[in-house]
Every structure is written in C-alpha cells, then in structure tokens.
Amino acid sequence: MLSKYPLFDSHLHIIDKRFPLIPNNGYLPGEFTCEDYLTRMSPYQLCGGVIVSGSFQSFDQSYLINALQTLGKSYVGVTQLPSSVSDDEILRLNQLGVKAIRFNLRRGGSEEVSHLSVMAKRVYEIANWHIELYVDSSNIKSLLPTLLDLPAVSIDHIGLSKEGFRDLLKLVEKGVRVKATGFSRVNFDIGSALKDIYKANPAALMFGSDLPSTRAPHPYSDQDFILVEETLGEVAAKKVFSENAFEFYQPFS
C-alpha cells in the first residue's frame, strides 16, 4: 500500500462512452471507466469516494447511476441538474447515492449561477444536499454574500488562483469545504495553501485524486498524496484523507 492512511477520494470522474458525452468548447475526454479508476488507485487503501459530473456530461444521470452501482455504496455522486428538476427526481437520485449539485462556473455544462441560491437551499431542504462549485477564487468576491448565506458548500481544486485566496479563507472560516485536488491546476504554493486552510478550519480540507485529470496541465501523481502527508502531519492527514469527506458526504446515510 502507498500509505497507512485510508482514503475517501473526494473528487474523481468516471468517463464511460456507453453513455452521452457532450463536447465542451470542442473538448471530449478519453474514456476512464470504473475499472480504470480502481486499477489506478489499487496502491491506496480506498474506503470510498465521490464521483463528480463533468462539463462534458451536462445533465445526464445514466452514467452516474451506473458508476454508483458499479463502485458500490461507499461511493456517492455529485451531479448537475437544471433548475426545473422535480422534487421527485431529487429524491430518486438521493436514494441512488447522489449527495450534491455541481455548478461549473469555469467550464459550463451546469445550471446558470443565477439559480445558485434558490437551488442550494431547495436541495438542502429536500435531501440535505450541498452545492459544489468549480470556480476560480479570483471570482469569489462577488459571490461572498450569496455563498455565506447557503447551508452547505464545497469548492473544487483549492479555488485555482492565488488571487482571491483570502476570500476563499473567509469562506473556510465560515464552514465552506475545500477540495485538495487538481494540484497542477493552481498557480500558488500547495503546501502553504493547505496549511492556511487547515489552520482556518481543520474540518474544511478534503483530498481527492481528480482522476483522470481532464484538461489539467499534469495528471494526478502519487506525489500529490505524499505532499499532503508530509505537509500536514499524521493527525491532520487522517482528517484530510478521509475523515472530513466521510463526515461531509455521509455515504451510508
């Protein structure tokens, strides 16, 4: 095993060409099936994870349902839904293991941000779901009042940019979760950022592989995992690798 720490992988994508894929700005990813994922992560003590819908999957639920059924009940889903979605559909997806809605403000493919507040409060009331944002932290300032008013929020890839990182920390201090994922996507020192976020709120950070690292400058590396362990130490690493995400997603509830 790569590490003594169990890993609840808070961010992974499954790309299965048996199901609909929609080009995003002309981009279509290569296939990355459940089997591919498990093979790549075989050196880890996997205890579950979070399958996240990408821009190229838009509002399709068929791939996600299949992946959840294939990987089992320790895995949950983050989907994309239109604002017109019915309460019954939210409850159906909840029964199948979906735990959140993603707003992809960077790539598109999701619902428009104008629906963010209403949808966030609605899905939390109906199914205790949270909202996940793929957003550049340089654009967070204008969203701060909205995000601070929402019941449960996570932000992908450490917010991506150094510009706006202080705004990200303001959210962290108020309970917003941050995914320690996609390290090659950011433009700042990872170690310093991890320390700052953990200091602001030890429950906030959740590590994820971001596999298969679509459109990232460099694919996920085992060194990303080792960096977290070496930077934060044993107590914090246990929280970041599994405990925080397990508590936030509650896969067996």
Side-chain angles (χ1 to χ4, degrees):
M1 285 291 173
L2 182 69
S3 170
K4 61 185 177 182
Y5 302 103
L7 173 62
F8 186 84
D9 188 347
S10 75
H11 196 100
L12 65 108
H13 300 284
I14 298 298
I15 302 160
D16 189 329
K17 292 187 176 180
R18 295 176 300 168
F19 302 99
L21 291 171
I22 301 170
N24 178 263
N25 296 319
Y27 173 80
L28 272 179
E31 193 162 52
F32 188 74
T33 64
C34 293
E35 182 179 357
D36 294 330
Y37 172 74
L38 293 175
T39 298
R40 172 62 182 86
M41 296 302 284
S42 59
Y44 294 80
Q45 295 187 55
L46 283 175
C47 60
V50 184
I51 307 163
V52 179
S53 291
S55 59
F56 39 79
Q57 286 154 329
S58 190
F59 298 136
D60 174 58
Q61 308 302 321
S62 58
Y63 98 90
L64 181 57
I65 292 168
N66 179 266
L68 289 170
Q69 291 171 342
T70 300
L71 291 175
K73 291 186 177 180
S74 59
Y75 287 80
V76 300
V78 174
T79 194
Q80 296 168 155
L81 290 170
S83 60
S84 59
V85 63
S86 68
D87 292 0
D88 286 344
E89 177 66 356
I90 293 169
L91 291 171
R92 182 183 79 92
L93 292 172
N94 185 66
Q95 288 293 317
L96 293 169
V98 175
K99 297 287 185 176
I101 291 181
R102 192 184 201 207
F103 279 77
N104 192 328
L105 308 188
R106 184 170 174 83
R107 302 286 189 191
S110 65
E111 184 54 272
E112 296 296 324
V113 69
S114 58
H115 296 281
L116 174 62
S117 182
V118 171
M119 285 192 75
K121 294 174 181 178
R122 181 176 169 224
V123 299
Y124 185 81
E125 181 178 345
I126 293 170
N128 201 36
W129 287 3
H130 68 271
I131 291 296
E132 181 168 313
L133 297 178
Y134 185 14
V135 60
D136 192 306
S137 58
S138 63
N139 298 317
I140 283 178
K141 186 178 289 292
S142 63
L143 292 171
L144 278 175
T146 297
L147 298 181
L148 290 171
D149 188 47
L150 300 184
V153 179
S154 69
I155 293 178
D156 293 343
H157 308 321
I158 328 175
L160 296 172
S161 294
K162 183 177 181 179
E163 182 185 358
F165 185 74
R166 293 299 156 189
D167 291 321
L168 181 69
L169 287 181
K170 291 177 185 177
L171 294 172
V172 169
E173 291 169 354
K174 298 297 184 180
V176 170
R177 308 298 182 105
V178 174
K179 292 190 175 183
T181 59
F183 289 177
S184 72
R185 301 178 189 272
V186 310
N187 65 0
F188 50 79
D189 181 71
I190 296 292
S192 297
L194 296 179
K195 290 177 181 178
D196 288 345
I197 293 170
Y198 190 84
K199 181 179 179 181
N201 181 356
L205 275 174
M206 306 180 295
F207 183 82
S209 68
D210 188 35
L211 284 170
S213 308
T214 56
R215 287 190 275 199
H218 305 288
Y220 172 72
S221 167
D222 296 332
Q223 289 301 315
D224 297 347
F225 186 92
I226 293 168
L227 173 63
V228 174
E229 183 176 8
E230 292 180 344
T231 299
L232 296 180
E234 182 173 349
V235 173
K238 286 175 65 178
K239 292 179 69 65
V240 174
F241 288 139
S242 60
E243 293 173 5
N244 287 346
F246 204 86
E247 182 274 330
F248 191 53
Y249 287 97
Q250 298 183 20
F252 297 106
S253 64

